[in-house]
Amino acid sequence: MPERLVAVLERVRRIDLTRRQRRALALAVLVLFGAVWGVASAPPGPPLPPPEPPSPEAVQAILAGRPPGFDVGGIDISSHDHRRFTVHWPTEVAAGSEFVYIKATEGTAYVNPHFAADYAAARKAGRYVGAYVYARPDKGDPVGQAEHFLRNARFTRDARTLVPFVDLEWPYDGVPAGPCYDLTPLQLRDWIHAFIGHIEAAVGRKPMIYTNTYWWNPCTGNDASFGSYPLDIANYTKKDPKLPAGWSTFALWQYMPGDPDRAHSHDRDVVNGGPAGLRALAWPRRPAGELSGRAPGRARPRR
């Protein structure tokens, strides 16, 4: 009998209990230690199979698909990326996908059921990791939506955690709202200010805004007041993207949409400024001069 179990039983014997109570407590201790001892002494199970090696074809396609002049790539994923396939981290690592943004929440109730597992897997693969929130201005309550996101975003102030981003774009199929969420430009601007401001106050840094010029300009009335926030511009072209009102540069560029029905196909991004540009989006914050800008070009809307 293990020495620790003997000591515990001796303590049970000394407790001022009735004989029946003492027997019941001793039996509970034996059952508990028996389960723990059984698990600890059980023979190890069969070894886990080794992970599949990177796909050379997928690695080559990822590298060839990046816009010229951008060496640091990454992905952003949501529950849709689990519809048929999951992220194959050996392939992403081999292709130089240095970071991943993962959808955490939407509205005030939804939490991506794959967020925690994807976050842990990305960390284990040594990637920079960040969380994003899909904004629902049609549901109102910008502070409530921001709070729900912050409770689930696993945000930490370390050198491998990226600033959060808020996804502001056209409603997806199934959202019962018009292109601008049935809000006037003034109403939408006020909603974004309240939402973004709450996240900024909580994390101590400006969050990033993900959007597309052809949504932002008409829906916000060409509002230029957010130009100091990092920009993740969605634009599916290899030419430098046209930027929304208020911005003269971008931090990330989502240049390719993913297809959840194809393996290794995820929303793909590149970093403006290379490794220094990526570090500038994490803690500790790097000087602004390390993030170089690029001239804007033409763009296509993200649908």
Side-chain angles (χ1 to χ4, degrees):
M1 185 177 292
E3 293 181 1
R4 187 179 177 190
L5 176 56
V6 173
V8 172
L9 290 174
E10 180 63 18
R11 290 184 182 180
V12 170
R13 187 181 66 80
R14 294 175 182 175
I15 299 174
D16 186 16
L17 300 172
T18 66
R19 179 177 297 179
R20 179 176 296 179
Q21 289 172 328
R22 190 176 290 113
R23 284 180 179 177
L25 182 56
L27 180 60
V29 170
L30 286 170
V31 171
L32 174 62
F33 269 80
V36 172
W37 184 254
V39 170
S41 59
L48 295 174
E52 294 183 8
S55 165
E57 296 80 11
V59 169
Q60 182 57 38
I62 294 168
L63 293 173
R66 286 187 187 135
F70 294 91
D71 299 326
V72 179
I75 57 176
D76 60 85
I77 58 177
S78 68
S79 63
H80 296 294
D81 292 82
H82 292 269
R83 193 161 75 188
R84 289 189 59 190
F85 304 96
T86 57
V87 179
H88 188 244
W89 293 108
T91 295
E92 295 300 329
V93 171
S97 297
E98 298 291 340
F99 67 92
V100 56
Y101 269 102
I102 307 166
K103 179 178 178 179
T105 65
E106 177 180 332
T108 57
Y110 175 80
V111 177
N112 176 7
H114 302 282
F115 175 76
D118 284 342
Y119 199 99
R123 284 279 197 183
K124 186 176 180 180
R127 306 302 90 185
Y128 285 82
V129 188
Y132 79 88
V133 50
Y134 187 92
R136 290 292 301 272
D138 58 311
K139 288 183 173 291
D141 195 7
V143 173
Q145 290 194 39
E147 273 295 313
H148 178 57
F149 172 65
L150 291 166
R151 284 194 300 268
N152 292 279
R154 299 196 172 194
F155 179 77
T156 56
R157 292 173 172 83
D158 63 44
R160 305 294 292 185
T161 300
L162 301 171
V163 296
F165 84 66
V166 52
D167 186 337
L168 288 157
E169 58 172 309
W170 293 277
Y172 57 81
D173 290 344
V175 174
C180 301
Y181 296 92
D182 298 334
L183 300 179
T184 67
L186 177 59
Q187 290 171 330
L188 188 55
R189 291 196 299 266
D190 288 345
W191 191 96
I192 296 171
H193 274 295
F195 185 94
I196 292 288
H198 193 78
I199 294 177
E200 182 178 359
V203 305
R205 278 189 63 178
K206 292 181 181 295
M208 186 156 50
I209 293 176
Y210 167 100
T211 195
N212 177 277
T213 302
Y214 299 98
W215 180 86
W216 181 272
N217 284 355
C219 287
T220 69
N222 292 292
D223 183 73
S225 63
F226 294 90
S228 63
Y229 289 83
L231 173 66
D232 183 355
I233 183 67
N235 188 281
Y236 304 144
T237 175
K238 288 193 175 183
K239 296 180 179 180
D240 286 345
K242 181 178 179 180
L243 304 183
W247 280 281
S248 60
T249 188
F250 59 87
L252 299 184
W253 172 11
Q254 188 188 81
Y255 65 91
M256 180 181 293
D259 180 352
D261 292 323
R262 292 172 51 222
H264 311 294
S265 181
H266 311 285
D267 290 348
R268 297 205 172 272
D269 315 84
V270 288
V271 179
N272 190 2
L278 183 58
R279 291 195 301 269
L281 293 173
W283 267 257
R285 186 174 183 175
R286 295 299 192 270
E290 289 193 23
L291 182 59
S292 62
R294 291 177 60 89
R298 295 181 61 82
R300 293 183 300 178
R302 180 174 186 246
R303 298 293 185 183

